[in-house]
Amino acid sequence: KKKCRVEVKGYSYIHRDPLNVCIAISPLKNASRFEWFLEKATEIGVNEIIPLLCTRTEKHHLRMDRLQGILVSAMLQSQQIWLPVLREPVRFSEAISHQTMENKWIAHCDEKEERSELADLDSRGNSIILIGPEGDFTSEEVDQALGKGFKPVSLGHTRLRTETAGIAAAVM
């Protein structure tokens, strides 16, 4: 009951999938919904998550230690081998400035802008997708992203909550 003895019989190294999927998503006012997103994104196998501070983001302070614990728990539960990288929250303009991913997408709801369906795009290669806050990105933020080479995408024919959009993007 008070002691444990372990003997390592063997080991192997499992390489990380070279395909990198990054979701940059605005934190939510309701912390439990953002935590739910982190859990499910980890189970799906997202490599990197960036909390994105946008103009309309209502929650700017995150308990990173708690969020990291949620990632670890979800990783163990789903028998993942690699823990997603959870970045510190970053302002929108900083997040889009230095992206070198092959596929750079922004999911937004502006009907005036022509958008491709994410599910129809070739997503081979490293990818980042920006998911906005409750109330969506501002038109200025969309214009900034487009100016940095992000392509506008739609996640379907219905308007999704932020955390649902993040999961839909991860799956697509």
Side-chain angles (χ1 to χ4, degrees):
K1 194 172 184 179
K2 294 186 180 187
K3 294 181 182 180
C4 179
R5 181 175 285 149
V6 176
E7 182 181 338
V8 176
K9 299 268 185 178
Y11 64 91
S12 64
Y13 182 81
I14 298 176
H15 293 279
R16 187 172 216 152
D17 188 345
L19 195 63
N20 186 27
V21 176
C22 175
I23 308 282
I25 185 170
S26 178
L28 300 157
K29 183 170 49 175
N30 182 336
S32 65
R33 288 180 25 211
F34 189 69
E35 292 170 358
W36 179 87
F37 162 76
L38 292 174
E39 183 179 275
K40 301 310 171 200
T42 300
E43 292 172 10
I44 291 168
V46 169
N47 304 85
E48 185 177 358
I49 300 162
I50 303 172
L52 194 58
L53 302 177
C54 305
T55 303
R56 294 182 179 142
T57 300
E58 292 188 37
K59 184 166 182 115
H60 289 263
H61 177 70
L62 300 173
R63 290 189 44 210
M64 296 302 284
D65 57 331
R66 176 174 169 74
L67 300 181
Q68 193 67 36
I70 290 168
L71 294 180
V72 169
S73 176
M75 179 190 80
L76 295 172
Q77 174 66 32
S78 60
Q79 298 181 349
Q80 295 287 334
I81 295 169
W82 294 98
L83 183 67
V85 175
L86 177 62
R87 301 284 181 204
E88 288 291 325
V90 64
R91 297 229 167 265
F92 180 84
S93 57
E94 293 174 47
I96 64 171
S97 293
H98 308 292
Q99 285 304 324
T100 59
M101 299 278 195
E102 296 163 55
N103 301 309
K104 301 188 302 186
W105 298 307
I106 180 170
H108 64 84
C109 300
D110 188 352
E111 298 292 331
K112 295 177 280 183
E113 179 80 39
E114 183 161 337
R115 300 166 294 156
S116 302
E117 291 288 331
L118 182 60
D120 296 340
L121 297 175
D122 181 4
S123 60
R124 286 177 288 185
N126 295 331
S127 304
I128 182 171
I129 185 161
L130 308 176
I131 306 293
E134 297 150 306
D136 205 9
F137 293 111
T138 63
S139 57
E140 292 81 16
E141 288 168 333
V142 172
D143 291 342
Q144 277 183 337
L146 297 179
K148 294 289 185 179
F150 283 79
K151 305 288 186 237
V153 294
S154 170
L155 300 174
H157 302 293
T158 59
R159 185 169 291 214
L160 304 175
R161 288 181 168 204
T162 299
E163 70 277 16
T164 308
I167 296 303
V171 170
M172 289 182 212

